[in-house]
Amino acid sequence: MHLADLPTPAVLIESSRLTRNLSRMQALANARGLRLRPHAKTHKSITIAQMQIERGAVGICCAKLGEAEVFAGAGIHDIRLPYPLHPVNADRVFALAERVTLSFIVDDPAIAQAWSDLAVARGRHLEVLVKVDVGFHRCGIDPESASAPGTVRAIASMPGLTFRGLLSHAGNGYEKKSEREIRGVAVREAEILRDLAAAAQVRCHEISVGATPTARFSAEEEGITELRPGNYAYFDRTQVGLGSAVFDDCALTVLATVVSKPAANRLILDSGSKTLTNDGARGFGDMPGHGAVLRDPFVAEPDPSLKIVRLSEEHANVSVVDGETRLATGDLVRIVPNHSCVVSNLVDHVWLVDADRVLEQLPVAARGRIT
C-alpha cells in the first residue's frame, strides 16, 4: 500500500524519524546515567511504548488512570502518573497497583493523608512523589513557601505511603523566546528541587523532571535522576519553534487532500480541527497558522507561501501568501501540526510509513481515556 491509497485525512508516523527520535533521547539519558520514563500521552500507542522500553526506558508515564489501565493490560509493568489523583479513585488505584509498579504525585497534605489512611486500612503501600511547582503554576507545592520542607517531611513520614522523591514539570519552558531562556528554566528547575530536597532533610530516591524543550539541558544538571519527556517521540511545529527539533525530526504528519480551490490564492483541505486541532504553535519567533504545510509530501521543508489561516471541523482554509500555487484539487499535502499530542487523541489509528510505503496501521489504544 502507498500513501496515495490512504483515505484522507490520515495521521502518518514516519518510521525512520520515530526510531531515530526514540534512540536519541535514550542515548542522552544513558550518557548521563539517568532513568528515562517517557510520557505516553504523546502517542498513546502500546507498540511505541514497547519500542521505548526495548531501548532502555524504565517505564512510562500516563496522564490519567484510564491510560494507565490500557498500558497495564498490554504488559507495561512500571507506570507513573504525574497527575494529582483523588481518593475517589481508590478502588481503581489499588487494583492497578496490584498489577504493576505504580506511582503517582501528591501536592496536598490532606489528600496525601487520605491516601495514607486508605493504604493502612487495606494493608497496602502506595508509591508517591511530591509534585513541586517550578514556575509553570499548574500543580505542585510552592517551593518558596516556608512550609514546603515541612510538607515534604510530613508526606514522607505518612504510613502506607512509600515516598520516592520530588517531581516537577517545567511547562514554563514553552513560553520562552530563546534557547538561553529555556536552559535557564532547566537550571532553575534543578536548583529548586535540589534545594527543597536538602531543606526537607528526607531521602529522595528520585528527582524527576519532564518536558521536551528542557530535556536536553536538564540532562546536564546535577541531582536529576529521571527524565520524563513525551513529545520527543513525534515532535511537532512547536518543538521546531523552540529549537528542540528540526522539521526532519517531526515523525507525525497529517496527510490531507485539496478538496476545493475557490480562488487562485486559496485552498481548502480535508483536515479540519478534528484532525489538526486548534492549538497554536509556540516558539522563538512568530508562529502563525494551524500547522506547517510541507513543500512536497516527501520533503521535510515547509512551504512559506501556504498558511493555514482557519480551521472548521472538517476544513482547513489555506491562504496562498504570494502569487498562485501549483496545487490543484485532488492533490495530496502533508502537514506538520502545531501540537502532535492532541492529534494522537483525535484518531483511532495512525499509519506507520516509510516514505511512500505504508508499513502498518497502529491503534491509538489509549485514545480518549480522560478519567
Side-chain angles (χ1 to χ4, degrees):
M1 181 183 281
H2 298 274
L3 292 191
D5 300 319
L6 292 176
T8 61
V11 178
L12 311 179
I13 308 299
E14 191 69 46
S15 176
S16 61
R17 293 175 188 163
L18 171 65
T19 55
R20 186 175 68 211
N21 293 343
L22 301 187
S23 296
R24 280 179 178 172
M25 188 61 74
Q26 189 64 57
L28 175 68
N30 290 349
R32 293 289 294 177
L34 303 176
R35 293 154 52 95
L36 179 64
R37 184 186 295 274
H39 206 312
K41 74 181 180 68
T42 296
H43 53 72
K44 304 181 189 294
S45 163
I46 292 165
T47 298
I48 297 175
Q50 291 169 337
M51 291 171 67
Q52 291 171 316
I53 290 171
E54 287 167 2
R55 282 164 172 75
V58 298
I60 62 170
C61 291
C62 292
K64 292 293 185 74
L65 270 171
E67 287 185 4
E69 289 163 343
V70 169
F71 286 103
I76 304 298
H77 299 300
D78 194 329
I79 301 176
R80 175 160 293 165
L81 285 102
Y83 194 84
L85 298 178
H86 192 276
V88 71
N89 296 299
D91 287 343
R92 292 172 69 191
V93 168
F94 283 104
L96 187 59
E98 289 182 358
R99 302 164 61 194
V100 302
T101 299
L102 178 71
S103 55
F104 60 93
I105 65 163
V106 290
D107 64 357
D108 184 317
I111 295 296
Q113 186 63 62
W115 280 116
S116 170
D117 294 342
L118 284 165
V120 170
R122 298 190 186 209
R124 302 289 303 279
H125 276 82
L126 295 171
E127 292 193 9
V128 300
L129 299 94
V130 173
K131 176 70 179 289
V132 181
D133 180 2
V134 293
F136 191 37
H137 304 318
R138 189 168 65 184
C139 299
I141 66 170
D142 178 3
E144 304 298 328
S145 168
S147 63
T151 296
V152 175
R153 281 195 298 272
I155 293 172
S157 67
M158 289 180 182
L161 301 185
T162 299
F163 174 69
R164 296 298 304 166
L166 305 179
L167 178 149
S168 62
H169 170 61
N172 45 320
Y174 279 89
E175 305 302 330
K176 301 307 177 182
K177 297 303 179 184
S178 69
E179 287 208 354
R180 180 181 178 183
E181 289 185 7
I182 292 178
R183 181 187 290 275
V185 168
V187 169
R188 180 59 182 149
E189 177 183 34
E191 182 181 44
I192 288 171
L193 296 174
R194 287 194 303 265
D195 289 351
L196 181 56
Q201 297 181 325
V202 294
R203 185 178 180 187
C204 292
H205 299 274
E206 299 187 42
I207 301 292
S208 176
V209 300
T212 293
T214 50
R216 62 196 188 274
F217 303 121
S218 294
E220 301 172 0
E221 291 300 308
E222 294 299 323
I224 301 301
T225 65
E226 179 177 88
L227 300 176
R228 305 185 329 276
N231 189 274
Y232 80 95
Y234 288 164
F235 289 119
D236 52 30
R237 188 171 175 235
T238 288
Q239 298 296 341
V240 174
L242 292 169
S244 305
V246 296
F247 279 104
D248 192 47
D249 296 322
C250 294
L252 184 148
T253 57
V254 174
L255 184 70
T257 300
V258 179
V259 292
S260 179
K261 191 174 183 179
N265 65 347
R266 191 158 62 90
L267 302 170
I268 305 297
L269 309 179
D270 61 359
S271 53
S273 62
K274 290 180 179 178
T275 311
L276 288 176
T277 88
N278 277 306
D279 282 25
R282 289 171 282 183
F284 302 155
D286 190 25
M287 303 286 287
H290 299 281
V293 181
L294 300 182
R295 287 184 182 274
D296 181 277
F298 306 108
V299 178
E301 182 182 344
D303 187 336
S305 72
L306 299 177
K307 178 182 175 183
I308 304 175
V309 294
R310 189 175 75 243
L311 295 179
S312 304
E313 289 184 76
E314 312 293 352
H315 306 79
N317 202 310
V318 181
S319 174
V320 182
V321 177
D322 296 310
E324 298 186 13
T325 177
R326 58 175 176 74
L327 292 171
T329 304
D331 286 346
L332 293 175
V333 300
R334 282 170 87 166
I335 304 159
V336 176
N338 289 342
H339 189 182
S340 61
C341 303
V342 183
V343 173
S344 292
N345 199 52
L346 294 173
V347 293
D348 292 323
H349 59 262
V350 297
W351 298 95
L352 192 66
V353 302
D354 178 12
D356 186 44
R357 290 191 306 127
V358 178
L359 303 178
E360 63 178 305
Q361 185 185 88
L362 300 181
V364 186
R367 177 201 179 197
R369 302 309 201 274
I370 61 173
T371 61

